[in-house]
């Protein structure tokens, strides 16, 4: 089986590596316009990806033509792919009439500017809409007679008949359409393969496929007949008649054609990854699967057959007319899929199912079934009822009677957490707030699952956005199985960094390049990310810095000691709207945020997350390295197109650099980003990085501890100036005190006997 690799891994294999001179002829006329000209430049950049640009292999030059041809750069000026791409991006639109013939005559007279000798094949790539002033037939024929291979690329809505005249034979292999840059780059490579370039990679071949070329044409059509007045043979009389009325309109015309592309066999074609896993090819014969959380029982993302926690679990299923019979059957299928995914032979079978409309029934009591087979049969037997949607009443009933099958005073199993999973897709017809509060007061852990328009009501019931799971469409419901598994088991086992010590600083680009609307999206992202952390002095401390030309601390690590306080502070963050300097922001983090004075805790992992559009990052590489040298991870999240090399120097490693195509997609990467941060929080730390000693004190490591050597200062961290004239004590701790660090990183000063060792213990 094969897959077209216009968008997949063949792009990495497709590089024409022969000795070749490639000259772009870029239409910069007014008929193209500035917007389409920018698209032409982008297209030329993408075509360069199919060329192995090197002094000894492919060389590239460019001429922009309109009224007169203008040499942008010769073939011998830029000798690396990145240099060529950067120069193309800087080309300015010139404007003028479309004199394609004059540009071709210039090439006939002067040749390829900066080209090599005649033994090196020459390729001319013309990017135009084909609307030339004057005939191009004769100069195009003369160019091709000189054995110059000509590719004609249609941009906008081109005149294909003129481009047909320009292109080399066979024309269908030398005509490209800029509508899909990846496909066109593949087409260019495919045509050059086997003649000018080396053969295709092993396992790949060139094949033709049907495609369309589109253009806009002006056509005349009859609009109807209208009364008109004509002269008459009779004196002083006119004659009424019907006259045809025409109008002109623009029509999109499709021209069927054939295109050529390189296709390769791909190990992912057989879709080996199950349960929503993503197949990542490794060359042409190997692959690996990226599995969603909750899957990965084998290399193909089989379910992890365990709920991995012991709970009493009751599903409360909406069976009202609001969800319809189809919705109720979908919930039954979801229940079965979920239980099959998470319940193995050894899983505790403390599962029940209740359903409700105007009334509430518990057809499957908690702990009623001891094996999965009988539980599935009981779920199959559930019937749709279709009454009113009284969710509030159902919650109240479940709080009183849902777990009554478990005796009040029995064995240890009675101590299991009690979890209720509400499945609903219709708004409640009775109040839910009070009933939900009553449910939570009885120590029931409530999780709400529903379609996206139910989010607000579900959150009102659960009391926590993290216990609300919404799906975008019916099929998406089944994608929520791993998330529901995590939520159920988080009742007694905080997920992510909930129990991990961490000093975390968000650095948010608030410059004019980002804009107010996108800045608000970044702010919302920070806000929702904070819900994943347990914010207090013992566990996670969070700081927030925004930056334009200067950095501003919104709050430091030790400002807020609760999630609610942090969320409230984030809501007040202003937009700056000036130029951006990420370097000054990271310097600010180093000198004024990740310090002991501002609440940073020795022995605790430290992470800085930079949220930016990637602009003005040139000055950020050095301060980012300074942070890393002091044990602080710099994580860079870039939204939109940006310069990869610069950003890689800032992040230090591809592992800490995430590209996101748009601000709207930011929300979908949150779990990945949080997961990476939490992995870092579990890494071992160096107690002296960053230096916990103030006022130029020197940190000296000991076994599981450190001490500060001070000069002119004293105290555990050199925080107090020496008042008397004698020399400072060494070591610096007063003989009557010591500093101790709790397992979660909270600093505590305590009195100690005179003989206490002067040191700082790290007990983890």
């Amino acid at each position: 089986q094969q897959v077209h690799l216009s968008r997949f891994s063949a792009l990495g294999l497709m590089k024409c590596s022969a000795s070749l001179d490639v000259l772009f002829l870029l239409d910069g006329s007014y008929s193209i316009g500035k917007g389409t000209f920018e698209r032409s430049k982008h297209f030329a950049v993408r075509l360069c990806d199919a060329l192995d640009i090197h002094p000894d292999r492919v060389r590239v030059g460019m001429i922009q033509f309109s009224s007169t041809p203008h040499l942008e750069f010769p073939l011998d000026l830029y000798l690396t792919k990145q240099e060529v791409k950067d120069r193309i991006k800087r080309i300015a639109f010139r404007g003028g009439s479309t004199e394609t013939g004059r540009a071709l005559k210039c090439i006939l007279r002067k040749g390829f500017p900066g080209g090599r000798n005649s033994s090196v094949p020459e390729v001319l790539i013309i990017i135009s809409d084909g609307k030339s002033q004057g005939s191009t037939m004769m100069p195009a024929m003369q160019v091709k007679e000189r054995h110059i291979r000509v590719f004609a690329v249609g941009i906008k809505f081109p005149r294909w008949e003129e481009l047909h005249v320009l292109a080399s034979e066979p024309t269908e292999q030398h005509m490209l359409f800029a509508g899909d840059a990846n496909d066109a780059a593949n087409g260019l490579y495919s045509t050059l393969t086997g003649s000018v370039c080396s053969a295709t990679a092993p396992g790949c071949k060139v094949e033709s496929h049907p495609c369309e070329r589109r253009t806009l044409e002006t056509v005349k059509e009859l609009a109807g007949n209208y009364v008109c007045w004509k002269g008459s043979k009779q004196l002083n009389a006119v004659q009424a008649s019907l006259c045809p009325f025409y109008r002109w309109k623009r029509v999109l015309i499709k021209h069927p054609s054939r295109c050529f592309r390189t296709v390769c066999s791909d190990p992912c074609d057989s879709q080996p990854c199950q349960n929503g896993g993503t197949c990542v090819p490794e060359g042409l014969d190997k692959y690996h699967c990226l599995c969603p959380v909750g899957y990965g029982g084998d290399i193909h993302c089989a379910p992890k057959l365990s709920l991995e926690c012991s709970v009493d679990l009751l599903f409360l299923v909406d069976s009202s007319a609001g969800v319809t019979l189809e919705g109720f059957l979908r919930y039954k299928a979801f229940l079965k899929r979920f239980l099959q995914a998470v319940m193995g032979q050894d899983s505790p079978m403390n599962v029940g199912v209740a359903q409700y409309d105007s009334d509430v029934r518990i057809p499957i009591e908690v702990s009623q079934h001891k094996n999965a087979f009988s539980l599935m049969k009981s779920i199959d037997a559930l019937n749709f009822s279709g009454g009113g949607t009284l969710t509030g009443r159902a919650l109240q009933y479940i709080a009183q009677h849902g777990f009554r099958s478990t005796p009040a005073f029995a064995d240890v199993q009675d101590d299991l957490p009690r979890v209720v999973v509400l499945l609903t897709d219709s708004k409640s017809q009775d109040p839910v707030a009070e009933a939900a509060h009553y449910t939570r007061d009885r120590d029931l852990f409530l999780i709400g699952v529903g379609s996206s328009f139910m989010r607000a009501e579900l959150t009102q019931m659960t009391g926590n956005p993290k216990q609300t799971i919404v799906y975008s469409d019916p099929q998406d419901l089944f994608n929520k199985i791993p998330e529901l598994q995590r939520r159920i088991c988080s009742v007694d086992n905080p997920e992510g960094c909930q129990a991990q010590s961490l000093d975390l600083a968000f650095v948010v680009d608030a410059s004019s390049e980002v804009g107010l609307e996108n800045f608000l999206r970044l702010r919302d992202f920070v806000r929702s990310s904070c819900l994943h952390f347990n914010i207090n002095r013992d566990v996670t401390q969070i700081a927030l810095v925004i930056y334009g030309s200067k950095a501003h601390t919104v709050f430091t690590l030790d400002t807020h000691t609760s999630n609610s306080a942090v969320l409230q502070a984030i809501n007040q963050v202003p937009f700056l709207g000036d130029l951006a300097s990420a370097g000054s922001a990271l310097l600010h983090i180093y000198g004024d945020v990740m310090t002991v004075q501002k609440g940073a805790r020795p022995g605790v992992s430290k992470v800085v997350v930079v949220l930016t559009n990637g602009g003005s990052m040139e000055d950020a590489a050095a301060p980012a390295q300074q942070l890393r040298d002091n044990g602080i991870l710099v994580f860079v999240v870039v939204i939109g197109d940006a310069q990869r090399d610069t950003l890689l120097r800032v992040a230090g490693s591809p592992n800490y650099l995430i590209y996101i195509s748009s601000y709207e997609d930011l929300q979908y990467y949150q779990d990945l980003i949080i997961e990476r941060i939490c992995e870092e929080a579990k890494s071992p730390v160096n107690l002296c990085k960053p230096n916990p000693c103030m006022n130029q004190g020197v940190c000296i490591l000991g076994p599981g501890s450190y001490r500060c050597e001070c000069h002119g200062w004293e105290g555990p961290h050199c925080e107090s100036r020496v008042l008397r004239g004698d020399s400072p004590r060494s070591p610096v701790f007063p003989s009557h005190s010591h500093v101790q660090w709790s397992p979660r990183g909270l600093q505590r000063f305590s009195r100690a006997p005179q003989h206490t060792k002067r040191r700082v213990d790290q007990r983890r």
Side-chain angles (χ1 to χ4, degrees):
Q1 203 178 20
Q2 290 179 323
V3 64
H4 299 310
L5 289 186
S6 56
R7 302 179 192 280
F8 299 100
S9 58
L11 284 173
L13 304 170
M14 295 189 318
K15 284 183 183 172
C16 183
S17 295
S19 291
L20 189 66
D21 283 348
V22 177
L23 181 64
F24 284 95
L25 204 55
L26 196 64
D27 188 344
S29 64
Y30 288 132
S31 68
I32 285 283
K34 192 171 188 313
T36 304
F37 181 75
E38 292 299 320
R39 286 197 291 276
S40 299
K41 285 163 52 181
H42 170 73
F43 179 76
V45 166
R46 292 310 307 271
L47 287 188
C48 289
D49 288 331
L51 306 171
D52 187 8
I53 299 174
H54 185 275
D56 300 327
R57 295 187 284 275
V58 181
R59 296 187 182 184
V60 172
M62 179 167 285
I63 292 174
Q64 180 183 171
F65 73 94
S66 51
S67 304
T68 57
H70 172 78
L71 177 63
E72 296 291 351
F73 58 92
L75 287 112
D76 56 356
L77 183 58
Y78 299 113
L79 302 178
T80 70
K81 183 177 295 190
Q82 195 57 51
E83 287 177 335
V84 170
K85 286 183 171 185
D86 290 343
R87 180 64 183 87
I88 293 173
K89 290 174 183 177
R90 295 198 305 270
I91 291 174
F93 175 64
R94 302 180 71 84
S97 57
T98 315
E99 300 287 352
T100 314
R102 182 177 293 179
L104 293 173
K105 289 174 185 175
C106 177
I107 291 170
L108 288 168
R109 283 197 316 274
K110 300 181 179 179
F112 275 31
R116 288 168 280 188
N117 58 43
S118 58
S119 65
V120 176
E122 295 176 324
V123 172
L124 181 66
I125 301 176
I126 305 172
I127 305 177
S128 173
D129 62 359
K131 297 172 183 175
S132 179
Q133 273 75 45
S135 173
T136 59
M137 183 175 291
M138 186 58 68
M141 184 177 69
Q142 292 171 334
V143 166
K144 287 180 277 191
E145 284 174 351
R146 291 200 184 177
H147 304 293
I148 297 173
R149 181 171 287 204
V150 183
F151 285 86
V153 181
I155 194 91
K156 208 173 182 180
F157 294 107
R159 288 183 183 156
W160 289 105
E161 61 275 9
E162 182 173 321
L163 295 175
H164 200 275
V165 170
L166 297 173
S168 292
E169 296 285 343
T171 51
E172 65 270 15
Q173 292 187 29
H174 290 84
M175 289 180 62
L176 306 172
F177 181 50
D180 188 326
N182 287 340
D183 216 32
N186 192 321
L188 172 70
Y189 170 83
S190 301
T191 301
L192 293 175
T193 297
S195 54
V196 179
C197 303
S198 55
T200 56
C204 302
K205 68 175 183 177
V206 177
E207 69 171 27
S208 69
H209 63 98
C211 57
E212 282 184 346
R213 315 214 182 275
R214 300 182 176 191
T215 190
L216 278 176
E217 294 184 10
T218 304
V219 297
K220 181 181 178 182
E221 67 174 14
L222 179 67
N225 293 313
Y226 295 86
V227 174
C228 60
W229 304 95
K230 295 183 177 180
S232 171
K233 294 178 181 179
Q234 298 177 11
L235 194 61
N236 299 325
V238 291
Q239 180 180 345
S241 180
L242 289 176
C243 300
F245 176 73
Y246 296 93
R247 66 179 167 208
W248 299 88
K249 73 173 187 177
R250 304 268 275 170
V251 179
L252 183 67
I253 305 294
K254 299 177 182 178
H255 305 277
S257 183
R258 293 204 72 76
C259 296
F260 291 80
R261 62 186 166 199
T262 299
V263 296
C264 303
S265 59
D266 192 305
C268 290
D269 289 348
S270 58
Q271 298 180 334
C273 305
Q274 305 162 6
N275 300 305
T278 302
C279 183
V280 180
E282 297 173 354
L284 296 173
D285 56 354
K286 295 181 181 178
Y287 66 90
H288 68 272
C289 294
L290 296 176
C291 304
V293 177
Y295 294 92
D298 64 11
I299 60 168
H300 297 124
C301 303
K304 289 181 178 176
L305 295 176
S306 173
L307 194 56
E308 297 177 345
C309 59
S310 295
V311 295
D312 285 340
L313 178 60
L314 178 66
F315 288 93
L316 178 59
V317 183
D318 187 345
S319 178
S320 68
V323 300
T324 72
L325 173 60
E326 181 185 3
F328 179 73
L329 294 176
R330 189 181 305 118
Y331 284 149
K332 284 174 59 175
F334 174 78
L335 281 180
K336 292 175 66 175
R337 284 267 294 274
F338 176 81
L339 295 171
Q340 286 166 347
V342 303
M343 293 202 141
Q345 297 292 328
D346 303 324
S347 297
M349 297 303 296
N350 301 344
V351 179
V353 180
Q355 62 182 102
Y356 75 95
D357 44 55
S358 305
D359 296 314
V360 191
R361 296 166 299 288
I362 308 179
I364 305 173
E365 298 275 0
V366 175
S367 302
Q368 178 180 330
H369 293 281
K370 297 303 178 188
N371 63 73
F373 179 74
S374 62
L375 180 59
M376 296 301 165
K377 282 185 66 176
S378 295
I379 292 173
D380 281 333
L382 298 177
N383 293 315
F384 178 64
S385 49
T389 312
L390 300 184
T391 311
R393 177 180 177 183
L395 288 172
Q396 187 114 5
Y397 182 88
I398 289 303
Q400 295 169 345
H401 308 290
F403 297 89
R404 61 182 180 179
S405 60
T406 309
F409 303 100
D411 57 25
V412 72
Q413 286 295 309
D414 296 329
D415 294 331
L416 291 180
R418 296 176 170 184
V419 180
V420 177
V421 178
L422 171 66
L423 289 164
T424 180
D425 196 23
S426 56
K427 298 277 189 182
S428 179
Q429 295 167 346
D430 66 341
V432 295
E434 190 175 334
H437 197 271
Y438 177 78
T439 304
R440 298 196 300 271
D441 282 350
R442 292 177 70 96
D443 290 330
L444 298 187
F445 187 74
L446 181 59
I447 300 170
V449 181
S451 55
S452 49
F453 82 95
M454 289 289 297
R455 184 189 298 272
E457 185 171 298
L458 288 172
T459 303
Q460 184 185 17
M461 287 187 271
T462 61
N464 186 344
K466 291 188 67 177
Q467 289 163 230
T468 300
I469 300 173
V470 297
Y471 51 90
S472 55
D473 57 64
Q475 187 53 42
D476 186 42
L477 169 63
F478 295 91
N479 297 332
K480 302 300 178 183
I481 287 175
E483 185 177 354
L484 179 57
Q485 180 191 35
R486 295 202 309 272
R487 292 286 173 263
I488 291 171
C489 287
S490 71
V491 58
D492 247 10
N493 178 27
E495 61 170 276
C497 306
Q498 292 283 327
Q500 202 71 37
S501 296
L502 177 68
D503 284 345
L504 172 62
F506 286 99
V507 183
V508 181
D509 188 340
S511 67
S512 55
E513 283 188 31
V514 171
L516 175 59
E517 183 180 352
N518 291 331
F519 171 74
L520 294 176
R521 288 195 176 102
L522 293 178
R523 194 176 75 176
D524 288 344
F525 175 80
V526 173
R527 191 179 190 283
S528 59
S529 297
C530 290
L531 293 170
H532 290 257
F533 300 95
N534 184 7
I535 299 172
N536 59 52
R537 291 274 186 269
D538 282 336
V539 189
T540 300
Q541 293 188 145
I542 291 182
L544 176 59
V545 170
I546 58 173
Y547 72 91
S549 57
K550 294 181 179 178
H552 301 268
T553 302
V554 180
F555 49 84
T556 59
L557 290 167
D558 59 356
T559 304
H560 299 298
T561 57
S562 69
N563 286 68
S564 59
V566 166
L567 298 181
Q568 191 172 352
I570 292 172
N571 288 338
Q572 311 301 319
V573 176
F575 175 60
L576 300 177
D578 55 355
L579 297 175
S581 172
S584 64
L586 292 180
L587 281 173
H588 180 78
I589 288 286
Y590 178 77
D592 207 46
V593 175
M594 286 293 184
T595 64
V596 172
Q597 297 96 313
K598 296 299 172 71
R601 298 163 294 175
V604 172
S605 296
K606 289 167 177 58
V607 178
V608 176
V609 179
V610 183
L611 295 164
T612 175
N613 70 344
S616 304
M617 298 291 285
E618 295 79 10
D619 62 346
Q625 186 59 49
Q626 191 175 14
L627 286 166
R628 280 192 295 277
D629 290 344
N630 281 273
I632 302 168
L633 172 71
V634 179
F635 201 103
V636 182
V637 180
V638 186
I639 301 95
D641 294 328
Q643 184 65 266
R644 182 175 178 85
D645 292 343
T646 303
L647 292 164
L648 200 53
R649 287 197 298 274
V650 178
S653 161
N655 295 333
Y656 305 123
L657 180 59
I658 285 188
Y659 279 96
I660 302 174
S661 58
S662 69
Y663 287 88
E664 291 80 1
D665 292 343
L666 187 59
Q667 57 180 319
Y668 305 121
Y669 286 80
Q670 186 175 63
D671 286 347
L672 171 65
I673 294 167
I674 298 296
E675 186 178 317
R676 295 266 184 90
I677 293 171
C678 294
E679 285 173 7
E680 199 60 31
K682 297 170 186 173
S683 302
V685 293
N686 183 334
L687 292 174
C688 284
K689 288 190 174 182
N691 185 4
C693 308
M694 306 180 197
N695 302 306
Q696 286 76 52
V698 178
C699 180
I700 298 173
L701 273 176
S705 65
Y706 70 90
R707 65 183 178 85
C708 288
E709 191 171 278
C710 309
H711 303 280
W713 300 78
E714 62 181 0
H717 297 101
C718 308
E719 68 274 13
S720 303
R721 187 180 292 276
V722 176
L723 297 178
R724 55 192 178 277
D726 56 351
S727 60
R729 302 168 210 166
S730 181
V732 300
F733 298 104
S735 59
H736 56 275
S737 71
H738 72 279
V739 180
Q740 170 172 296
W741 297 89
S742 77
R744 293 189 175 182
L746 178 62
Q747 183 181 2
R748 296 188 177 91
F749 292 92
S750 60
R751 307 293 294 179
Q754 293 287 331
H755 61 272
T756 302
K757 289 184 180 179
R758 300 167 185 172
R759 66 172 184 168
V760 180
D761 290 323
Q762 177 68 24
R763 301 171 184 173
R764 296 184 68 84

